[in-house]
Amino acid sequence: MELPAKTFQVTRADLVRYAGASGDFNPIHWSDRVATKVGLPGVIAHGMFTMALVGRAVAEWAGAPDAVVEYGVRFTRPVAVPDDDQGTEIEVTAKVRDVTEDGLTRLDVTATCLGEKVLAQARATIRTAR
C-alpha cells in the first residue's frame, strides 16, 4: 500500500532560517561561490533539514509526531537549492512494508528532488491508530 505523496518547497530563505535554528552556518548552505569551489552543484540544503522535512511527512502519515516510533535515513545526494523565488521541491512517498500484530506499521520511505533519490535506506516505524 502506498501512502499519499507529500511535497515540500525549499528556498534559500528556508536554508537561512534553518541555519539560524540549528547553528549550522557552513557556507555551502548559502554561498554559491564556496559550494561550487568544493565541487557541489551550488548551494545545498542541510542534510538534517532534508531529514526533518521527510520526518514531518512521516509524522503527518502517522497522525501525530509522538506516533513515530523509529525513523532513520542515509544521505545519498545533496539537494541543490537555486537562488530564485521558487527554490526546489522534495517529494516524499512511502510504502507500507509491514504491519505488526502489536499495532506498528513499518514504512519504506523515498525522498526525491528533480527525480533523483536524495536519501537511501529511509525507513520509519509508526504506531497505527486504533
Side-chain angles (χ1 to χ4, degrees):
M1 174 177 133
E2 287 198 34
L3 299 175
K6 307 275 184 188
T7 302
F8 299 95
Q9 200 73 25
V10 179
T11 66
R12 294 273 178 104
D14 294 319
L15 302 185
V16 170
R17 285 189 286 275
Y18 185 81
S22 69
D24 181 352
F25 294 100
N26 187 323
I28 65 172
H29 302 303
W30 55 267
S31 170
D32 281 306
R33 181 180 48 81
V34 172
T36 56
K37 187 175 181 179
V38 299
L40 294 168
V43 166
I44 63 169
H46 304 73
M48 295 304 288
F49 179 60
T50 301
M51 185 178 180
L53 291 175
V54 175
R56 190 160 103 194
V58 171
E60 288 176 16
W61 289 320
D66 64 349
V68 179
V69 175
E70 187 173 49
Y71 169 55
V73 305
R74 290 194 186 237
F75 303 105
T76 56
R77 286 196 192 307
V79 173
V81 181
D83 188 12
D84 60 22
D85 293 336
Q86 290 77 38
T88 195
E89 287 184 347
I90 297 173
E91 183 179 68
V92 185
T93 59
K95 291 182 182 179
V96 174
R97 179 171 28 119
D98 183 30
V99 178
T100 67
E101 290 181 21
D102 57 348
L104 298 177
T105 301
R106 293 190 180 102
L107 304 175
D108 289 328
V109 183
T110 302
T112 58
C113 180
L114 302 175
E116 300 273 345
K117 282 187 180 184
V118 296
L119 300 176
Q121 298 178 12
R123 297 188 181 105
T125 302
I126 60 176
R127 200 172 304 106
T128 307
R130 293 183 186 247

